Each structure stands twice: as structure tokens, then as C-alpha cells.
Amino acid sequence: MTEPVAVLLQQLDRDLPVPRYAHPGDAGADLVAAQDVELQPGERALVGTGVAVALPYGYVGLVHPRSGLAAKLGVTVLNAPGTVDAGYRGEIKVNLVNLDPRHPAKIVRGDRIAQLVVQRVERANFHVVDALPGSGRGAGGHGSTGGHAGLRDAAQEGFRL
Ligand SMILES: O=c1ccn([C@H]2C[C@H](O)[C@@H](COP(=O)(O)OP(=O)(O)OP(=O)(O)O)O2)c(=O)[nH]1
Ligand SMILES: [Mg+2]
């Protein structure tokens, strides 16, 4: 097992718990809502978490949805995964959206609303060229390998990607 990376964390709201991993081996540390919010069907809100971090350069924080919230309420992270840059010092906020077509979703201060996954990240040097080297896939994408029943049905109805 690798050593956890040290991340400086500022509690902007000391009454809220520090993000924590629910189990050993969990990839994401749970982020909680700093405020109550009720989302009508289709509505979104930028919800504070009461924490700010200073990630070491070479790392990124990814704000992932929680599967339980998605399954139970239809609530997810609109820009999933959100990107927290190493240089960012503001409050981590979660752009929650209620995708349930019928029911409003109530989020209460302290509810776990998302999870922060801290990862190493590479940066690229982009070298502009006139033509790219060939590959097996080439420009094929967006379902070019086929084999999905739903896609076949859609094709029969005249839908083309
Ligand atoms: O879910 C998120 C995503 C981003 N951020 C913060 C940290 C991140 O470093 C900053 C900018 O995010 P991003 O680069 O995704 O947004 P942008 O629309 O490109 O804004 P900017 O012009 O500030 O980069 O906003 C969050 O708090 N939560
Ligand atoms: Mg940006």
C-alpha cells in the first residue's frame, strides 16, 4: 500500500466534519453540504462544502458524485467529475443537480453530497504537427464498434450518430 499524500485543509466552517474516507481502501473522501438546499426536478445549485485545500502540484482533486444519492434521489454532480486544481484555494463547491423528473430533493447541512478523489495528474506539452501517426482505431469512435441492442433499435428508427 502506498503512503497517503499530505494535503493541507482549511476548515472554513469548523462545525462541519473534515472530509473522511468511510472505509479503508475507499478512493473518495466524503464532502458534506454546508447549507440546506431543496432542488426541484431539473434544478441545480452550487453547494458549499465548508473546506478549502492546498493540493501539492502534480495532484488534482476530482469531485465525484455519490452513487447512493444518485440511486435514491436522482441527484448527481452536474459537471462530474469536478476538477479542483492544485492552485485553487477557494471553498470546494459541488454543482448538484436533481435529475429526478418528479420529486424534489432535500439536502440538509451535513449531508454527504459528493466525494473528493485525489489523484496524481500529468501535464502535457502539446507539439503541433501536420499529421498524426496512424493507429488501429484511426478516427473511429462514438459507437464505431457497434454491438449495442439499443443502438440497433435507434438505427432502425432512422437515428444515426
Ligand atoms: O466541482 C468543482 C469544480 C471546480 N471547483 C473549483 C476548483 C477549481 O480549481 C476551480 C475552477 O474549476 P474549473 O477549471 O473546472 O472551472 P472553469 O469554469 O474553467 O473556471 P476557471 O476559469 O476559474 O478555471 O473551481 C470546485 O470547487 N468544484
Ligand atoms: Mg478552468
Side-chain angles (χ1 to χ4, degrees):
M1 201 166 115
T2 53
E3 278 296 302
V5 58
V7 174
L8 301 179
L9 182 141
Q10 184 182 15
Q11 281 185 288
L12 305 172
D13 182 333
R14 287 176 188 274
D15 296 330
L16 290 174
V18 169
R20 59 181 287 269
Y21 297 93
H23 303 286
D26 281 3
D30 289 325
L31 297 167
V32 302
Q35 73 222 50
D36 296 347
V37 60
E38 180 160 334
L39 296 170
Q40 299 305 315
E43 199 183 0
R44 67 178 185 267
L46 208 48
V47 183
T49 63
V51 292
V53 292
L55 293 160
Y57 278 47
Y59 287 82
V60 65
L62 298 176
V63 180
H64 283 262
R66 293 191 64 222
S67 57
L69 213 57
K72 288 177 195 155
L73 298 181
V75 170
T76 188
V77 176
L78 181 59
N79 56 320
T83 305
V84 178
D85 300 291
Y88 180 69
R89 296 291 179 268
E91 180 179 17
I92 297 177
K93 293 188 175 168
V94 181
N95 201 341
L96 283 182
V97 61
N98 178 9
L99 296 182
D100 189 284
R102 283 178 295 278
H103 305 290
K106 233 182 213 160
I107 305 291
V108 177
R109 175 180 155 87
D111 281 352
R112 294 173 297 151
I113 52 170
Q115 49 188 327
L116 187 70
V117 176
V118 175
Q119 284 183 197
R120 276 183 198 270
V121 69
E122 303 290 337
R123 278 168 59 100
N125 275 327
F126 297 103
H127 299 275
V128 176
V129 292
D130 288 333
L132 298 171
S135 75
R137 174 176 282 274
H142 314 286
S144 66
T145 54
H148 189 280
L151 278 181
R152 272 199 306 278
D153 293 348
Q156 273 160 16
E157 287 161 25
F159 173 80
R160 290 279 180 282
L161 280 174

